[in-house]
Amino acid sequence: MSNIKPENIYAELLQSAKAQDNGVTPELRLRLSAKLAKAAVQKRSSTRNLRTVFAIAASVLVVISSMIIMGYDPSDNSVQRTLVHESTVGSGKPVTIKLKYNSKSDLENVDFSIDLDEGVAFFSQDPSISALRSHSWKGTLKKGENEIPFVVKTSRKGVMKIRTKAQYSDFSFMHEIVLDAKESSIDVSMFMIGTADIR
């Protein structure tokens, strides 16, 4: 039986625990530091890679958006714009425009419209007609080629446009007529917008 007093047992146990080296070895510390450093580098690398991916994606988006915006012309609602007729008339003279439509079948209740820029007016002795900026009506188209003529007159020099539209069901066919009024002549250019046939 030990002669150690009970109050000294705890003190001896503490002393013996202090005497043992239960600390972290220098080798373990080095390995732990290396692993922590490697994890930090990987985290920085993945963050940098993610930032690079986002930067590239943003750059591509900006380039594509710029191309779309630069290629978009709000005045041109067409897929295809084709020059179909050119002519020249004397300055101050009436200009006869002939709209041509090729229909695959007889069509009724076709919606037609003509819109004029400032500086160009319908040529008519009737002031109520010559004052119109636009005219619309319902009409028919026969199978084959159809021609709708109208006459306009310019009141100033410069470039003016006439826009026409024939709408049937969900199909629309458009013309754009450009009048370039000069000192002694007017150059007339007619463009077809879209396909050549009305179905």
Side-chain angles (χ1 to χ4, degrees):
M1 208 157 179
S2 174
N3 294 331
I4 300 173
K5 294 182 180 177
E7 60 268 18
N8 293 332
I9 293 175
Y10 180 68
E12 284 184 19
L13 283 173
L14 278 177
Q15 196 65 23
S16 112
K18 284 181 184 176
Q20 292 178 1
D21 187 13
N22 292 329
V24 179
T25 65
E27 183 184 320
L28 185 60
R29 280 193 185 121
L30 283 174
R31 278 191 288 164
L32 187 58
S33 292
K35 285 187 179 183
L36 287 172
K38 184 178 178 183
V41 167
Q42 286 176 341
K43 185 175 180 183
R44 280 195 301 268
S45 175
S46 66
T47 303
R48 198 176 306 121
N49 289 344
L50 193 58
R51 285 183 188 156
T52 304
V53 167
F54 280 138
I56 291 170
S59 300
V60 168
L61 187 60
V62 167
V63 169
I64 291 171
S65 299
S66 299
M67 289 170 61
I68 290 170
I69 290 168
M70 288 170 60
Y72 175 68
D73 180 1
S75 66
D76 185 7
N77 298 323
S78 67
V79 175
Q80 183 179 4
R81 189 173 186 258
T82 309
L83 179 65
V84 292
H85 177 75
E86 283 184 304
S87 63
T88 302
V89 298
S91 181
K93 292 189 175 179
V95 180
T96 300
I97 309 291
K98 293 179 181 177
L99 302 176
K100 293 185 178 179
Y101 300 102
N102 190 29
S103 179
K104 297 253 182 177
S105 59
D106 291 345
L107 302 175
E108 293 185 6
N109 296 318
V110 180
D111 292 309
F112 295 97
S113 65
I114 301 172
D115 296 305
L116 308 176
D117 272 359
E118 287 293 328
V120 60
F122 292 108
F123 181 69
S124 173
Q125 299 298 324
D126 185 344
S128 63
I129 293 174
S130 60
L132 292 173
R133 305 286 351 118
S134 64
H135 178 57
S136 58
W137 72 99
K138 279 194 180 292
T140 60
L141 292 174
K142 297 295 181 188
K143 182 177 179 180
E145 191 171 290
N146 297 262
E147 190 174 271
I148 301 174
F150 64 97
V151 184
V152 296
K153 193 169 183 180
T154 59
S155 60
R156 63 173 175 83
K157 294 182 186 69
V159 176
M160 293 148 277
K161 292 182 181 179
I162 302 168
R163 294 168 189 85
T164 71
K165 185 175 183 181
Q167 177 89 34
Y168 181 75
S169 185
D170 59 348
F171 179 83
S172 63
F173 183 90
M174 293 173 280
H175 287 103
E176 183 177 77
I177 300 98
V178 179
L179 306 175
D180 187 1
K182 300 173 183 170
E183 189 68 42
S184 60
S185 65
I186 303 170
D187 293 333
V188 182
S189 303
M190 179 185 285
F191 296 91
M192 177 179 68
I193 298 174
T195 60
D197 296 328
I198 295 182
R199 311 183 229 331

